[in-house]
């Protein structure tokens, strides 16, 4: 098999379902999960099911870390052996130091010209930008065309999610503007979104079912008569509820392309069990 013309490098927070990546040249560098004395590579040393089980039994919360610049440097070198060019599409620089490490690595690799796209998102909000880039590469687009595809997608993606509690986001320092929700966090189900690369409060409801209904209302308001091209429903140890959300998206909004996705352990440690996220973009 010959070299791939352009390979897309992303990080493990994207956690794109394998069904969506078939035939596409995507390489994933793992983030790190630090749990007590264990340093675990996200999606390599620990998978979602094991992570959820351990989280329920553990008295301590894990923390996360980005790959080092040296890890990126070695990863880019390895990918370049089977690829003519690389485009990197990574988790939001406003919630992770991943892009800083990647840029430091690129500075040490003058022989490799590697554009880096800041997705300003995570999970499948990032995943759709990665898929847009990889699909453009598969169509034979130039590096500039691949970057443009990722940039265009990131400006269209909307990623809304419901968490059972703000405890995990608060402890991890990943939420901005959440103080108005914190006082009643135990009594409400917060609805959050990615906005300008940050996680910000969007709405709230008294119960999970009411929160989900509110999300459908928000989606309806935002569509403005347009149709959803593709959506993803991601969950953290909450498959039945997420499956029901996917069914409702099909029934209520006529969405035919829906990906069902897990959430990577690194992302899971910041949002917590029970979370459901909906990423989508319109025509």
């Amino acid at each position: 098999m010959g070299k791939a013309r352009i390979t897309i490098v992303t990080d493990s927070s994207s956690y794109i379902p394998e069904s969506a990546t078939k035939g596409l040249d995507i390489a994933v560098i793992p983030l790190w999960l630090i749990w007590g004395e264990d340093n675990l590579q996200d999606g390599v040393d620990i998978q979602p099911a094991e992570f959820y089980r351990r989280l329920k039994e553990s008295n301590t919360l894990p923390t996360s870390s980005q790959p080092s610049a040296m890890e990126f440097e070695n990863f880019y070198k390895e990918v370049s052996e089977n690829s003519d060019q690389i485009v990197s599409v990574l988790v939001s620089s406003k919630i992770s130091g991943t892009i800083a490490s990647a840029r430091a690595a690129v500075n040490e690799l003058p022989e490799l010209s590697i554009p880096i796209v800041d997705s300003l998102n995570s999970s499948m909000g990032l995943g759709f930008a990665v898929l847009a880039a990889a699909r453009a590469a598969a169509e034979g687009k130039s590096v500039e065309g691949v970057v443009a595809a990722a940039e265009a997608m990131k400006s269209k993606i909307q990623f809304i999610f419901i968490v059972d509690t703000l405890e995990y986001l608060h402890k991890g320092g990943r939420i901005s503007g959440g103080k108005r929700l914190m006082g009643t966090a135990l009594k409400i189900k917060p609805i959050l979104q990615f906005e300008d690369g940050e996680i910000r409060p969007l709405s709230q409801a008294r119960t999970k079912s009411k929160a989900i209904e509110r999300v459908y209302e928000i989606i309806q308001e935002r569509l403005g008569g347009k149709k959803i091209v593709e959506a993803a429903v991601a969950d953290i140890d909450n498959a039945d509820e997420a499956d029901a959300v996917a069914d409702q998206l099909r029934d209520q909004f006529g969405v035919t392309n829906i990906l069902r996705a897990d959430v990577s352990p690194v992302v899971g440690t910041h949002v917590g069990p029970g979370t459901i996220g909906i990423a989508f973009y319109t025509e």
Side-chain angles (χ1 to χ4, degrees), residues 28-63:
V28 181
I29 186 168
L31 302 178
W32 287 96
L33 195 72
I34 298 107
W35 211 332
E37 296 182 357
D38 295 334
N39 290 330
L40 306 166
Q41 286 193 306
D42 189 29
V44 177
D45 300 322
I46 188 165
Q47 302 296 333
E50 181 189 350
F51 168 75
Y52 307 146
R53 177 190 58 75
R54 185 169 170 179
L55 192 63
K56 290 173 184 174
E57 299 170 355
S58 177
N59 293 322
T60 59
L61 278 177
T63 58

Side-chain angles (χ1 to χ4, degrees), residues 3-25:
K3 277 189 175 186
R5 190 165 171 274
I6 300 174
T7 296
I8 311 305
V9 168
T10 189
D11 61 83
S12 61
S13 74
S14 61
Y15 232 76
I16 306 166
E18 285 186 17
S19 61
T21 62
K22 288 177 181 175
L24 300 176
D25 290 301

